[in-house]
Amino acid sequence: MHARTAAAVAVMLALSGCESSSRFSDDAVTDSAEPDTTSDVTTDTALDAVPDGLPDTEADVLPDTPDDTGDDVPVDVPVDLVEDPPPDTVTDTLPDTAIDSIADTSTDGPPVRPGSECAYPVDLTGLGTWTGHLSDYGNAWSGSGSCDTANGREIWFVATVQPGDLLAVSEIGSTDVVLHRVASCGTTSCLWSSDMVESFDYLNDSSSPVTVILVVEAYFESETGVVTLSVANGPPLPGSSCDDALDIGALRSWTGDYGDYANLWEAPSGCGSGAGPEVWFTATMAAGQIFRLEETTSTDVVIALLDSCASATCTEYHDLDEALAIYNGSGAARTLTFVVEAYFGDEDGPVSLEQGSLAPFPGSMCSRAIDVTSASTWSGDLDDFVNLWEPPSGCGYANGAEIWFVASVPPGNTFTLTETTGTDVVIERLATCSSGSCLDYWDFTESASIANTGLSTLTVTLLVEGYSSSGGPVSLVITNTHP
């Protein structure tokens, strides 16, 4: 075939979409049925001589040049054969993620602060202290008439108390709060409430765990200060209850701290006005003995004596003197039950007791009165005596240790007894040891004078009693003469 004719055929094939020789190298074109004897010049001339009107296919018949990467991809591969890129999954994922995240956050809101609601209380179980700011809490709860008055923000707490354990919660800061105990979240009434004493104590004497719900409420609506709680939850110390009283009979002394004890006892009538933590004791007295017990610190206490743990009232109590002395005049041993209670509800100071048993001695009781019929002076110390006698009506207001005296006054004589040391005492006169009232008493003058205007000898029974438990020396000047 003529070279020009061959070139024209190639062009026509390319235009018609058929496979042309341009997909092959120059060698393939040369290997045609008719050997190409035309020189390179003739071939160039034939290509340049393509008639007008036909497209210039010179570039198409040139050998295919590999690209820089070495891949021999033909330059005339149709665009439609290139594989489409994968779908843009980043665009699809981002909107979903962003929308879900925003929707979840706005719907759920911030977490509830523990203590802000009864349903989300602060769990005090296992804690020793807790501190928070009232400014972080709201004022959404109001107690009913069974709750002490308060109108401020509140913080809710819960604690699980095991059988036999003692829960003690106290607000130990300076913020004025009221403590309430409620039975459940749905109530506004209080099982217990305290304003002045910011301390709660609970002994679980049941056989099952008990859940205690507490509300610490600011007294004033504007209060936003700090609340600090001291928490104890565990087995109580011996002496915390009457059923677990400490046996002090074999001890000479005992020392403890009210901060380790609780106010679990509601004192019945006749037991004084103590309102703080209490410590219970027991002791066995021998027949014919005097049992003496005294609190020796500056802590204000009340000592109350009961016949038993189930007693509805106290046999006696000692507030100002803070000492107990009992004589067992029976022929058998006697068991004593008594409680030493702090006067103030928030008391956490020390308590220290000294006790002992002794036989009656001269001057310790009416039956062992000191005879001063012929004496001109007598000296002693109230600290060596005991307070066994409770003054009946008409005997003044002394409440300390006493010293008993007796004198025989002949007809026409005047008996005088004067205390000269300045120790605060009251001189009291009784008709007999069993009298239920005094014939007379001398307080501010501290000098007694009794004239026998009768025809027979007069027996005078007197006692010199310390006004308080502070004790002190006593020095008497005595006369028994006829004017």
Side-chain angles (χ1 to χ4, degrees):
M1 182 181 293
H2 194 276
R4 179 175 294 180
T5 303
V9 172
V11 171
M12 293 177 66
L13 289 174
L15 291 174
S16 64
C18 296
E19 185 177 356
S20 71
S21 60
S22 62
R23 292 185 180 270
F24 303 93
S25 64
D26 291 338
D27 294 337
V29 175
T30 304
D31 295 337
S32 59
E34 185 175 343
D36 185 4
T37 57
T38 309
S39 66
D40 292 340
V41 175
T42 304
T43 303
D44 291 340
T45 303
L47 290 173
D48 291 339
V50 176
D52 294 338
L54 293 175
D56 187 0
T57 58
E58 182 179 5
D60 294 335
V61 298
L62 291 176
D64 200 10
T65 304
D67 58 19
D68 294 339
T69 61
D71 297 328
D72 191 9
V73 180
V75 297
D76 56 346
V77 174
V79 176
D80 291 340
L81 297 179
V82 178
E83 183 179 356
D84 292 337
D88 187 0
T89 58
V90 175
T91 302
D92 294 338
T93 303
L94 285 177
D96 292 343
T97 304
I99 293 173
D100 292 343
S101 176
I102 294 174
D104 291 343
T105 303
S106 60
T107 301
D108 297 339
V112 177
R113 179 184 294 275
S116 60
E117 301 176 15
C118 183
Y120 301 97
V122 176
D123 193 345
L124 296 177
T125 308
L127 299 183
T129 58
W130 183 89
T131 299
H133 291 261
L134 283 167
S135 59
D136 295 331
Y137 299 87
N139 182 9
W141 182 82
S142 295
S144 65
S146 60
C147 305
D148 284 358
T149 301
N151 195 32
R153 300 165 183 257
E154 66 269 346
I155 310 175
W156 291 84
F157 298 91
V158 68
T160 300
V161 187
Q162 298 300 322
D165 280 1
L166 171 66
L167 172 66
V169 180
S170 300
E171 208 292 315
I172 58 177
S174 58
T175 302
D176 193 357
V177 300
V178 179
L179 274 63
H180 312 286
R181 182 191 175 193
V182 298
S184 63
C185 290
T187 182
T188 60
S189 62
C190 292
L191 298 173
W192 174 93
S193 187
S194 179
D195 179 4
M196 301 300 294
V197 180
E198 298 172 356
S199 179
F200 170 78
D201 301 308
Y202 171 75
L203 179 65
N204 182 7
D205 55 4
S206 71
S207 59
S208 302
V210 173
T211 298
V212 175
I213 302 174
L214 296 176
V215 188
V216 178
E217 184 178 14
Y219 185 83
F220 296 104
E221 185 176 5
S222 60
E223 181 62 68
T224 58
V226 177
V227 171
T228 301
L229 301 183
S230 171
V231 184
N233 189 358
L237 292 177
S240 296
S241 65
C242 186
D243 294 331
D244 192 25
L246 290 164
D247 188 352
I248 199 173
L251 304 175
R252 290 293 301 170
S253 62
W254 179 89
T255 299
D257 196 294
Y258 276 122
D260 297 327
Y261 291 86
N263 180 16
L264 302 173
W265 183 60
E266 292 294 331
S269 60
C271 298
S273 303
E278 61 266 350
V279 189
W280 289 84
F281 297 91
T282 185
T284 301
M285 296 176 58
Q289 295 289 301
I290 296 173
F291 175 81
R292 181 184 182 185
L293 180 136
E294 181 180 1
E295 208 288 317
T296 59
T297 71
S298 59
T299 302
D300 197 353
V301 305
V302 178
I303 301 175
L305 179 69
L306 297 87
D307 287 332
S308 68
C309 291
S311 296
T313 186
C314 293
T315 306
E316 60 183 85
Y317 74 91
H318 301 267
D319 184 351
L320 298 176
D321 58 332
E322 300 180 354
L324 176 68
I326 301 169
Y327 172 63
N328 182 9
S330 68
R334 177 186 175 187
T335 299
L336 300 177
T337 300
F338 57 94
V339 58
V340 181
E341 184 178 18
Y343 187 84
F344 296 105
D346 57 354
E347 181 63 68
D348 59 0
V351 53
S352 184
L353 304 177
E354 291 183 359
Q355 70 87 24
S357 294
L358 62 162
F361 55 93
S364 61
M365 58 184 63
C366 189
S367 61
R368 298 295 305 272
I370 299 170
D371 192 341
V372 290
T373 300
S374 302
S376 59
T377 61
W378 184 92
S379 296
D381 199 299
L382 288 168
D383 289 332
D384 297 329
F385 292 82
V386 292
N387 181 14
L388 293 174
W389 188 66
E390 289 296 322
S393 61
C395 297
Y397 301 98
N399 199 30
E402 62 266 355
I403 310 169
W404 290 83
F405 299 93
V406 65
S408 297
V409 182
N413 274 17
T414 297
F415 177 83
T416 64
L417 183 147
T418 303
E419 206 291 309
T420 62
T421 64
T423 299
D424 194 358
V425 300
V426 178
I427 301 172
E428 301 155 59
R429 181 189 175 195
L430 291 82
T432 64
C433 289
S434 59
S435 296
S437 62
C438 290
L439 297 174
D440 204 351
Y441 73 93
W442 297 263
D443 187 351
F444 297 105
T445 60
E446 299 179 355
S447 178
S449 180
I450 300 136
N452 182 5
T453 59
L455 300 177
S456 60
T457 299
L458 176 67
T459 298
V460 175
T461 302
L462 296 171
L463 69 153
V464 177
E465 184 176 12
Y467 188 83
S468 67
S469 60
S470 57
V474 172
S475 184
L476 305 177
V477 174
I478 306 165
T479 63
N480 189 0
T481 59
H482 194 281

